Amino acid sequence: MAKLPISEDKIFEQFGPHLKYEPPGGWEKSVEEPDSKVKTHCCFCGQQCGIILKVKDNQVIGFDPWEAFPFNKGKLCPKGVKRYLQGSHPDRLLYPLENRSGVGYERISWDAAYSRVVAEIQRIQNKYGKDHFAMLSGVSLSNEKSYLVGKFARVALQTANLDYNGRLCMVSAGAGNKKAFGIDRAANSWADLLETDLILCAGTNVSECAPITTDYIWKARDTRGAKLIVVDPRITPIARTADLILPVRPGTDSHLFNTILNLMIQAGDVDQQFINEHTVGFEDVKNAVAKYTLDECERITGVPVKSIKTAAEWWGKAKRSFLLHARGIEHHTKGVDNVLSCINLVLATGRIGKVGCGYATITGQGNGQGGREHGHKCDQLPGNRDITNPEHRKYISQVWGIDEKDLPGKGLSAQEIMNEIHDGKIKGLISICFNPLVSLPDSNFTREALEKLEFYAIIDFFMSETACHADIILPGSLHEEDEGTSTSAEGRVIRIQKAVNPPGEAKADGEILLEIARRLGKGKYFDHFKKAEDIFNELRVASKGGTADYFGITYEKIDKNMGVFWPCPDLDHPGTPRLFEGGKFYHSDRKAHFNVVEFKPSADEINSDYPIYLTTGRVIYHYLSGTQTRRIGFLSDQCPDPYMEIHPRLAEKYAIQEGDGVKIISRRGSIELKAKIVKTIRPDTIFVPYHWAGKQSINRVTQRALDPISKIPEFKMSAVRIEKV
Amino acid sequence: MTPVDQEENDLFVDPQRCIGCRACEAACSECSTHRGVPMIHLEPLDPFESVKTGPTLCMHCDDPACAAVCPADAIKRTEDGIVQSSQKSRCIGCSNCQIACPFGVPKIYKARAQMNKCDMCYDRTSTGLKPMCATVCPSEAIFFGPKSQIESMRKNKANNQFQFGGQKITTKVYVMMDTSEETIDMDVMDFMSSSGLEEKEPWA
Amino acid sequence: MRLYPEGILKGLLSIAVLSLLIVVGSRKLIYFDAALIPYLIATIFAIFGSVYRYSVWLSRPPTRTLWKRSLNLIFSKHFLSNFALIIKAFFENMFVQKFIGERSRYRWVMHFLLAWGCVLGFAVTFPLVFGWLHFAHPLKDAYLYQLYIFGFPTMIFDPYGMIGFLFFNALNFCSMMIIVGTVMAFVRRLIHPGAITTQTFAHDILPLLILFSVAVSGIFLTFSTHFLGGQHYRILSTVHCWTVVAFLVYLPFGKFFHIFQRSAQMGAELYIHEKEKGEPAVCPKTGEGFTSQIQKEDVKKVLRELGFKFQADERDVSVQDLSPRARRQLLMTTQHKRLKGKFDITRE
């Protein structure tokens, strides 16, 4: 089944996206004194800014800045300001729905919905085998929900095939971090940004995707005169005033970083003592980068020789430095390589684990950091444990009270699950907090896959484009409708406070999963979870002894300290804002590992048929697949539709003028949108933001090629041609 | 509180560090007095040339041209230097203030026959809070605090004197400039002839 | 405060005209009720004050310019359409007060009750005070009443019929409207944060208190007459008298003066019409038409009259020739140029 019951237009007419501008009850009501003010966090990115939600009559009616919260001190981006409009949104799903072909979605009882879901799970698993029913999850969920999803899939569904949308986000950085440092977390809290002299932002549009981080960078520039280098094919707002812009051609990042390292080694700008004492593998890297020359680098990356030299000199000579990177270098078939080539630059200077010296990937999703540590990654168990490691399996089995033999092994990654669905191998799917039809590459393929499912159940709060394909829709909860914790990009574990109850018959996500588990006959593994804190307490024990050790973190401690940085192995431990102090890393040899990276071309070949580089990304007004932000009037008005950024020289070649319709064609598919002519993008590259669905989805054009290690798709580089329409 | 803590807070604008996120507009629009409509402007300078943007809020002139040209006597300046939105009972929505204001601030609501503009969040500042835009601004392109504080934090200088032709305008709000010593020449003729934004492109 | 002789003259003149009308209208004071003398004195004061203030207001350059421009536009070749516009604007703005409804529905109801409560009240009380209206029994029937206007007999009506009920209770209806309106206004001033922060006692609370006390004391007079057999009537009538006097004294100088100032809105409508239909002022930077050429030149002239010197050169080009958007960009551009496009002044 899993086909749309009625036309897409009819579904959208009923379920939106509709735009909401005013607080519940209108502006008149928002003037009234709220019943309560709830200190919690924004749901819309990995920075997890503190925010106060104003509640009246079980509805969030507005916000107040939370100036006392140390990370953002009241600062917010427009998404944070307007997020409160989701709770009372007319598009909210208020009761369980069943897909009836030709009729639409019909309201059913929770009992009927649960019965159908459980019957289908059992039917498919009995007929085809346990792993033929998969689960997809997402890291906008709290740590508690993430942990619960992991346990639910392994213990209740008993499927190996659980993965999550962090696969489109953090996995290259995570894999690179584990290879180099033996731990997957930002090496520093953002406080070290304030103490640094040189900041290198690689493939991170900080100003739009992590706006509050701008303040940290600006402050370092103000108070210490810190220099800023930005590596990006576009002059983003953060790049506009940078001291040095390295406008790299999409997909050539590792060539640039290898060349810079080579120049530094030649100039003697490496910390040999640190390398000797705290790292292994430098000689291999040194030999490998020796062949990366300046002229070759300019030819490949499109960055002028002079700029590369300046970058090498600044990075080589800096006293303190901080390297930040994000999806720009990670969304590639060599995403892990790109990350490792960045880390090599950091390790060669020894500027890590010290005041003002650091490294971090900027987590994109709300709980991208915590989510991946505790559950729903196909190869991981809580506490960042390895699902293939017998010791780790034994420990978690014991915490969960199951036989180790019953614990499934490593499953497929998100894109691979979709591939197997398309192949007809995986027959059933349950998903939560994931909109793969918008966010996975090659969306025509994803649509075909979803239509082949025998049964698909989804837990969601809005009718996402993917939800339109579900057989059963279970109305779930928003961020502010449940208790929990989340872990910010800094590695700071914070509290998500419940502000309101889910509206209508909608239920907290955890409650839904627990009931399904019970009906699958696995109640005894879950029945002790009476509230979110019970789940957190089990998570603490499950993570104990793992690298992501939360054992010493309690709700009370978080509230008292405005967050606690993991690892925090015992109750007296203050938490660990800065990792690797004293050059101690998390591999068994306690050393950091250099990794040889050889530059490889991208999977999609640029040739005369497809001569243009396409790269995709976010805009500040939208979050991920836009399911939430495309429903908020103010945000949608600022950026209602996707567009194509193109340099005037390239535009001229195709006689394209501002606002003209253009067609972008790749080897997978095509999209039509309007041209925006700007001098702030490389003349060989075009950019399209990705937050839209259907005909507006740039992921009809992108490719499914994956990084061999992280299995992240290559969103940031596709070969395309364009036509004026 | 010691007297030092009671140094007067002022508002400082530094368009150069604006990232164009419109958090200021979003937050301003939440105010219960102007419900959904921001009083602050966020303007791209020239989207073709640059991603440069900048916020404009009322500069609160010492001798406000908007008030001077108001035929209905509807714009008042408080003793502490805040030029308030038009008095609702008087404002006739004629737009004279909008035409006179050298900074392009007043907003006119035709149907309501009313001018609205930034009053520096009088409801918040009068209870010791920062104006909303300055509270949320992620890049501190809008900053509210004592002048001594911003001067110790930043290299740029706070300036509140502007020369428009033969007219010098002194404002309550400061703009961060290269100097605080001289009056900033707002050269209209030069502005009309060039954008001053063309820069060398960074790619090979 | 400097006195404005022309205003005093106009004020005195209007008092003289009024006195003449009172004498004529009350048939040489035959129908003038001496008990209403305090009201009369206060009214004369109010009229003098209002005329004085109105002429001071009209002498201000922006108001004078608007006034002259309005006459100029009305008596132009577009007389018919502009006159029709004024009529329409008068109906929408003064009568229906549509623009207040656009500001807030609640405030429209509140203001409509207050405005029409007051206007109807004036329409009844002023002619009575001036002796312009009186009632008498028609010669042939001592049961019926006849209304005399300026001493001329007009309609005859049954005092216990519908018309009589409306006549004799007109002020009670006005009071009721005003009481509801003021209560609504008080509620708003108590809970609306925007109102709370900007309101002042003299400008926002005092006028409400005055209106409220006028209306309540008036209602009590009726109450006393009909239900208490005239008990406390004298005290009540004295109280009522003083509240009305307070109202009239406050009228020219306080918030109520906006009733007269509203007339300028007709001029604003003409400006708006000109902006939409007339020759546009086009911004040389952005190419936007942002107002009418006429209004832009008027404002520039007013600024010059007031001593502002915005002119950037001898050709009279000034920042006011730019659209508001371009002016916002001017500040940004100026900073950008002075910082040479860099983050701060110390960057190379």
Side-chain angles (χ1 to χ4, degrees):
Chain A
M1 288 281 289
K3 290 188 175 143
L4 303 187
I6 44 174
S7 78
E8 219 169 37
D9 290 345
K10 279 190 179 154
I11 298 173
F12 294 154
E13 205 174 296
Q14 187 180 357
F15 295 101
H18 296 110
L19 295 178
K20 183 169 169 64
Y21 291 87
E22 295 193 357
W27 295 110
E28 296 284 347
K29 194 175 171 192
S30 74
V31 172
E32 294 168 25
E33 192 59 28
D35 299 335
S36 62
K37 290 186 173 189
V38 180
K39 284 179 183 149
T40 184
H41 294 267
C42 178
C43 52
F44 280 149
C45 89
Q47 297 176 114
Q48 295 284 289
C49 294
I51 188 171
I52 296 172
L53 298 179
K54 295 198 267 193
V55 178
K56 191 167 179 73
D57 305 334
N58 195 41
Q59 285 184 313
V60 184
I61 58 162
F63 88 106
D64 251 346
W66 183 9
E67 293 186 65
F69 188 72
F71 175 78
N72 60 308
K73 300 185 179 69
K75 295 180 171 64
L76 290 168
C77 84
K79 295 190 290 291
V81 171
K82 296 288 180 180
R83 65 161 280 198
Y84 77 90
L85 290 168
Q86 300 174 78
S88 52
H89 200 288
D91 289 348
R92 275 302 290 275
L93 300 173
L94 300 176
Y95 30 76
L97 296 167
E98 188 169 42
N99 176 329
R100 300 251 168 89
S101 187
V103 179
Y105 293 95
E106 287 199 342
R107 178 178 181 168
I108 55 171
S109 71
W110 272 104
D111 185 57
Y114 283 135
S115 300
R116 171 101 194 271
V117 170
V118 169
E120 289 288 343
I121 292 169
Q122 286 169 335
R123 182 185 68 77
I124 287 170
Q125 290 195 324
N126 289 338
K127 189 169 168 193
Y128 303 104
K130 296 278 188 199
D131 291 344
H132 293 261
F133 199 97
M135 181 162 190
L136 288 172
S137 180
V139 281
S140 293
L141 299 178
S142 64
N143 289 325
E144 288 74 1
K145 290 181 190 178
S146 300
Y147 176 85
L148 184 62
V149 165
K151 185 173 177 183
F152 171 84
R154 272 76 179 238
V155 176
L157 289 179
Q158 293 179 285
T159 182
N161 290 324
L162 161 70
D163 207 44
Y164 77 132
N165 65 357
R167 193 60 70 183
L168 317 175
C169 185
M170 302 305 306
V171 282
S172 292
N177 278 220
K178 279 189 171 175
K179 275 181 132 216
F181 305 126
I183 190 170
D184 167 19
R185 203 209 91 178
N188 307 66
S189 84
W190 265 218
D192 273 324
L193 272 169
L194 301 173
E195 302 289 334
T196 199
D197 297 331
L198 176 62
I199 298 165
L200 192 153
C201 293
T204 173
N205 181 2
V206 169
S207 38
E208 295 200 68
C209 308
I212 309 306
T213 301
T214 313
D215 184 48
Y216 286 81
I217 297 175
W218 279 186
K219 287 228 162 73
R221 302 179 88 185
D222 281 335
T223 53
R224 299 184 59 87
K227 285 197 159 70
L228 172 64
I229 305 176
V230 176
V231 182
D232 205 303
R234 296 193 300 146
I235 305 175
T236 57
I238 191 84
R240 181 174 61 79
T241 67
D243 298 280
L244 181 63
I245 302 172
L246 305 176
V248 68
R249 185 173 282 136
T252 64
D253 312 85
S254 59
H255 201 291
L256 177 67
F257 299 130
N258 279 352
T259 307
I260 291 174
L261 183 57
N262 187 22
L263 291 174
M264 283 162 49
I265 292 170
Q266 285 171 21
D269 286 334
V270 293
D271 184 343
Q272 202 59 53
Q273 194 190 346
F274 179 88
I275 291 169
N276 294 343
E277 287 175 12
H278 301 295
T279 72
V280 294
F282 178 67
E283 285 306 311
D284 294 341
V285 169
K286 183 178 168 180
N287 294 334
V289 299
K291 58 183 170 292
Y292 289 84
T293 61
L294 266 172
D295 291 339
E296 178 76 353
C297 186
E298 176 177 300
R299 193 179 64 75
I300 302 258
T301 64
V303 181
V305 163
K306 190 168 164 254
S307 303
I308 305 168
K309 274 162 91 172
T310 309
E313 198 186 311
W314 286 3
W315 192 261
K317 310 263 186 246
K319 293 273 181 291
R320 295 173 174 189
S321 64
F322 205 116
L323 195 150
L324 290 164
H325 63 71
R327 307 306 86 69
I329 68 162
E330 297 163 20
H331 275 160
H332 292 278
T333 47
K334 58 254 172 134
V336 178
D337 281 356
N338 288 343
V339 169
L340 289 168
S341 63
C342 275
I343 295 175
N344 286 346
L345 281 180
V346 174
L347 290 177
T349 61
R351 290 193 301 260
I352 191 160
K354 295 179 232 174
V355 176
C357 295
Y359 160 85
T361 181
I362 303 180
T363 302
Q365 293 198 66
N367 193 23
Q369 182 67 44
R372 70 181 183 265
E373 294 156 6
H374 297 298
H376 38 198
K377 203 168 169 228
C378 67
D379 54 356
Q380 246 172 237
L381 290 170
N384 231 330
R385 286 183 160 88
D386 181 356
I387 203 164
T388 60
N389 180 319
E391 286 295 313
H392 293 180
R393 290 175 63 83
K394 208 175 125 196
Y395 179 75
I396 294 298
S397 302
Q398 177 218 320
V399 174
W400 286 351
I402 59 170
D403 192 328
E404 197 262 347
K405 290 197 301 295
D406 293 334
L407 181 64
K410 181 177 169 181
L412 296 168
S413 72
Q415 183 61 57
E416 292 168 324
I417 287 175
M418 202 52 74
N419 295 348
E420 295 251 308
I421 294 172
H422 197 275
D423 284 352
K425 289 179 191 149
I426 290 175
K427 300 288 189 185
L429 178 69
I430 183 167
S431 75
I432 178 170
C433 192
F434 196 174
N435 190 6
L437 196 51
V438 178
S439 51
L440 281 180
D442 198 355
S443 46
N444 293 331
F445 176 89
T446 309
R447 181 175 296 103
E448 285 170 22
L450 290 174
E451 290 181 353
K452 289 182 181 174
L453 282 167
E454 286 187 13
F455 179 75
Y456 179 24
I458 194 166
I459 302 171
D460 218 330
F461 37 74
F462 288 127
M463 183 67 85
S464 70
E465 289 74 14
T466 306
C468 298
H469 286 267
D471 296 287
I472 295 284
I473 300 166
L474 305 168
S477 56
L478 283 170
H479 199 257
E480 59 267 38
E481 291 165 0
D482 207 349
E483 289 288 325
T485 61
S486 116
T487 308
S488 77
E490 295 181 290
R492 189 198 301 256
V493 184
I494 49 165
R495 283 269 281 128
I496 308 301
Q497 303 276 3
K498 180 174 174 174
V500 292
N501 292 317
E505 287 182 16
K507 286 182 195 292
D509 298 330
E511 209 180 306
I512 299 171
L513 291 175
L514 291 177
E515 181 59 25
I516 297 175
R518 251 173 243 130
R519 290 182 181 227
L520 284 166
K522 305 289 179 181
K524 66 172 173 168
Y525 303 105
F526 297 91
D527 282 343
H528 55 289
F529 295 149
K530 305 288 182 220
K531 56 184 192 298
E533 194 168 3
D534 299 334
I535 303 177
F536 187 72
N537 285 333
E538 189 178 294
L539 180 161
R540 290 172 52 215
V541 175
S543 72
K544 189 172 170 25
T547 47
D549 194 332
Y550 281 42
F551 185 68
I553 305 174
T554 61
Y555 278 16
E556 195 192 345
K557 196 163 163 182
I558 298 172
D559 289 341
K560 205 172 114 200
N561 299 297
M562 301 242 189
V564 180
F565 292 85
W566 70 264
C568 181
D570 57 69
L571 289 169
D572 300 328
H573 196 285
T576 317
R578 185 186 298 126
L579 299 177
F580 318 140
E581 282 184 293
K584 295 282 176 278
F585 295 89
Y586 285 74
H587 287 298
S588 51
D589 59 6
R590 301 294 269 156
K591 292 192 174 191
H593 294 186
F594 276 97
N595 288 272
V596 172
V597 171
E598 294 291 2
F599 171 71
K600 290 189 286 284
S602 302
D604 217 14
E605 191 200 346
I606 292 280
N607 61 18
S608 53
D609 288 338
Y610 299 98
I612 300 169
Y613 294 82
L614 163 73
T615 190
T616 67
R618 289 192 194 179
V619 297
I620 188 159
Y621 309 109
H622 291 291
Y623 179 57
L624 307 183
S625 72
T627 308
Q628 291 156 279
T629 49
R630 279 187 277 122
R631 290 181 155 84
I632 298 176
F634 179 91
L635 299 175
S636 180
D637 285 357
Q638 309 305 325
C639 190
D641 299 299
Y643 51 84
M644 176 188 82
E645 274 188 12
I646 184 169
H647 192 277
R649 285 212 289 283
L650 187 57
E652 203 185 352
K653 234 186 248 179
Y654 296 88
I656 293 167
Q657 299 195 335
E658 176 71 23
D660 280 353
V662 283
K663 188 171 186 182
I664 304 174
I665 306 152
S666 76
R667 297 178 175 99
R668 275 75 51 191
S670 66
I671 182 175
E672 280 182 28
L673 23 75
K674 296 246 186 304
K676 195 170 153 187
I677 303 181
V678 295
K679 283 163 100 175
T680 52
I681 185 165
R682 288 185 58 87
D684 54 4
T685 303
I686 56 172
F687 168 83
V688 179
Y690 70 75
H691 309 284
W692 290 265
K695 286 180 183 138
Q696 292 191 304
S697 173
I698 190 59
N699 280 332
R700 295 155 84 96
V701 173
T702 53
Q703 45 165 344
R704 281 181 291 126
L706 303 180
D707 182 294
I709 303 165
S710 71
K711 312 284 184 189
I712 208 167
E714 190 151 66
F715 291 109
K716 288 291 184 280
M717 158 37 202
S718 306
V720 297
R721 67 167 182 269
I722 56 174
E723 288 169 7
K724 190 172 158 176
V725 291
Chain B
M1 234 194 253
T2 63
V4 180
D5 290 332
Q6 286 173 350
E7 187 182 345
E8 198 191 335
N9 290 321
D10 279 308
L11 206 126
F12 302 84
V13 185
D14 191 351
Q16 194 65 351
R17 59 179 66 207
C18 174
I19 54 172
C21 71
R22 295 183 195 269
C24 51
E25 280 193 349
C28 184
S29 73
E30 287 293 311
C31 177
S32 57
T33 59
H34 40 89
R35 301 136 186 243
V37 183
M39 291 295 102
I40 191 166
H41 302 262
L42 195 113
E43 212 71 66
L45 192 46
D46 181 350
F48 173 72
E49 289 286 345
S50 166
V51 290
K52 184 171 169 54
T53 47
T56 308
L57 31 78
C58 179
M59 300 293 290
H60 299 284
C61 303
D62 286 358
D63 184 8
C66 59
V69 300
C70 178
D73 230 351
I75 304 172
K76 299 289 175 203
R77 185 170 171 273
T78 63
E79 275 175 24
D80 44 356
I82 299 294
V83 181
Q84 293 187 316
S85 262
S86 67
Q87 289 182 1
K88 293 188 190 76
S89 60
R90 293 186 177 177
C91 183
I92 54 174
C94 71
S95 297
N96 268 11
C97 48
Q98 192 184 46
I99 297 167
C101 171
F103 297 103
V105 169
K107 282 195 174 184
I108 308 293
Y109 299 95
K110 195 184 142 199
R112 297 187 216 163
Q114 189 185 338
M115 178 277 272
N116 247 341
K117 62 176 254 318
C118 153
D119 62 4
M120 226 195 258
C121 292
Y122 212 64
D123 55 335
R124 290 175 60 84
T125 47
S126 58
T127 57
L129 295 167
K130 294 191 267 188
M132 201 49 123
C133 56
T135 313
V136 299
C137 178
S139 60
E140 290 190 0
I142 308 165
F143 176 87
F144 187 77
K147 190 154 173 262
S148 63
Q149 192 186 342
I150 197 159
E151 279 174 344
S152 69
M153 272 166 46
R154 299 201 187 162
K155 312 279 188 306
N156 293 347
K157 312 290 181 202
N159 199 315
N160 66 341
Q161 313 211 43
F162 306 91
Q163 191 73 33
F164 290 90
Q167 182 63 44
K168 183 173 168 181
I169 299 280
T170 307
T171 60
K172 182 171 171 62
V173 173
Y174 292 82
V175 178
M176 302 310 287
M177 288 284 180
D178 56 326
T179 174
S180 55
E181 303 299 316
E182 57 184 273
T183 301
I184 302 300
D185 185 18
M186 306 287 276
D187 194 335
V188 175
M189 307 306 283
D190 183 53
F191 173 69
M192 285 180 184
S193 58
S194 80
S195 84
L197 268 179
E198 297 84 2
E199 274 164 28
K200 208 172 144 262
E201 295 185 7
W203 22 81
Chain C
M1 200 180 90
R2 209 165 50 85
L3 283 177
Y4 179 62
E6 200 188 316
I8 295 174
L9 198 68
K10 284 180 184 165
L12 290 174
L13 200 67
S14 46
I15 295 174
V17 170
L18 178 69
S19 306
L20 191 70
L21 284 172
I22 290 173
V23 172
V24 173
S26 60
R27 295 290 160 106
K28 293 182 185 162
L29 302 179
I30 292 171
Y31 299 110
F32 184 79
D33 183 351
L36 299 178
I37 279 183
Y39 291 103
L40 180 65
I41 294 171
T43 304
I44 286 173
F45 176 83
I47 284 172
F48 174 80
S50 298
V51 171
Y52 175 79
R53 183 158 172 211
Y54 200 85
S55 41
V56 171
W57 178 57
L58 264 189
S59 74
R60 292 181 59 244
T63 321
R64 190 176 62 233
T65 304
L66 176 67
W67 180 247
K68 279 188 181 163
R69 177 61 67 197
S70 302
L71 291 177
N72 176 289
L73 285 171
I74 293 172
F75 297 106
S76 67
K77 57 182 173 180
H78 302 295
F79 174 78
L80 281 180
S81 65
N82 282 344
F83 192 72
L85 183 80
I86 289 288
I87 299 295
K88 182 169 168 272
F90 185 84
F91 180 76
E92 285 183 353
N93 298 335
M94 310 291 269
F95 201 82
V96 190
Q97 301 162 2
K98 204 170 142 193
F99 66 99
I100 299 177
E102 296 288 339
R103 293 174 184 181
S104 145
R105 185 63 55 85
Y106 182 91
R107 296 186 60 198
W108 179 80
V109 173
M110 175 192 99
H111 191 272
F112 194 84
L113 290 171
L114 288 176
W116 283 103
C118 289
V119 168
L120 289 176
F122 291 148
V124 174
T125 49
F126 280 153
L128 285 175
V129 168
F130 299 153
W132 293 347
L133 288 186
H134 71 272
F135 300 101
H137 298 295
L139 290 172
K140 55 185 184 244
D141 192 337
Y143 171 74
L144 295 175
Y145 268 63
Q146 187 163 28
L147 172 66
Y148 284 75
I149 300 176
F150 263 58
F152 296 108
T154 60
M155 66 193 296
I156 295 169
F157 60 94
D158 175 359
Y160 297 100
M162 195 60 187
I163 295 174
F165 179 78
L166 289 177
F167 263 129
F168 298 131
N169 286 293
L171 287 179
N172 289 330
F173 297 137
C174 295
S175 298
M176 245 105 80
M177 286 166 80
I178 290 169
I179 287 168
V180 175
T182 44
V183 168
M184 286 177 81
F186 276 127
V187 168
R188 185 178 158 272
R189 296 217 162 267
L190 277 175
I191 64 162
H192 194 280
I196 291 167
T197 42
T198 49
Q199 68 201 11
T200 60
F201 179 80
H203 194 259
D204 300 297
I205 307 296
L206 182 62
L208 290 176
L209 287 174
I210 292 175
L211 278 183
F212 186 74
S213 49
V214 169
V216 168
S217 57
I219 284 273
F220 275 174
L221 279 177
T222 308
F223 190 76
S224 161
T225 308
H226 289 290
F227 302 104
L228 303 177
Q231 224 182 330
H232 310 304
Y233 193 88
R234 283 192 62 139
I235 297 172
L236 282 171
S237 68
T238 311
V239 169
H240 183 66
C241 178
W242 281 110
T243 58
V244 173
V245 168
F247 174 86
L248 291 167
V249 169
Y250 182 82
L251 178 68
F253 305 108
K255 187 168 193 169
F256 296 128
F257 192 68
H258 79 267
I259 299 165
F260 306 114
Q261 282 179 313
R262 251 315 117 187
S263 57
Q265 199 170 353
M266 309 300 111
E269 292 285 350
L270 289 168
Y271 264 155
I272 291 165
H273 182 71
E274 190 61 24
K275 178 178 174 178
E276 284 162 2
K277 299 276 151 59
E279 186 197 344
V282 176
C283 173
K285 184 75 183 177
T286 63
E288 298 165 285
F290 61 97
T291 182
S292 65
Q293 191 62 25
I294 282 181
Q295 192 176 359
K296 188 188 83 179
E297 291 307 325
D298 281 353
V299 171
K300 285 173 76 173
K301 187 181 91 152
V302 168
L303 283 168
R304 275 197 306 274
E305 279 178 42
L306 292 167
F308 285 94
K309 298 184 190 70
F310 280 108
Q311 299 85 322
D313 72 349
E314 64 286 351
R315 284 173 301 149
D316 195 27
V317 174
S318 75
V319 69
Q320 283 80 20
D321 291 302
L322 297 172
S323 68
R325 180 197 305 278
R327 297 176 205 179
R328 299 193 285 269
Q329 292 171 343
L330 169 63
L331 181 59
M332 262 189 277
T333 306
T334 304
Q335 191 218 27
H336 189 82
K337 282 181 187 167
R338 295 194 70 116
L339 296 176
K340 301 188 174 64
K342 301 298 179 194
F343 181 76
D344 65 40
I345 53 168
T346 63
R347 307 258 152 195
E348 284 306 308

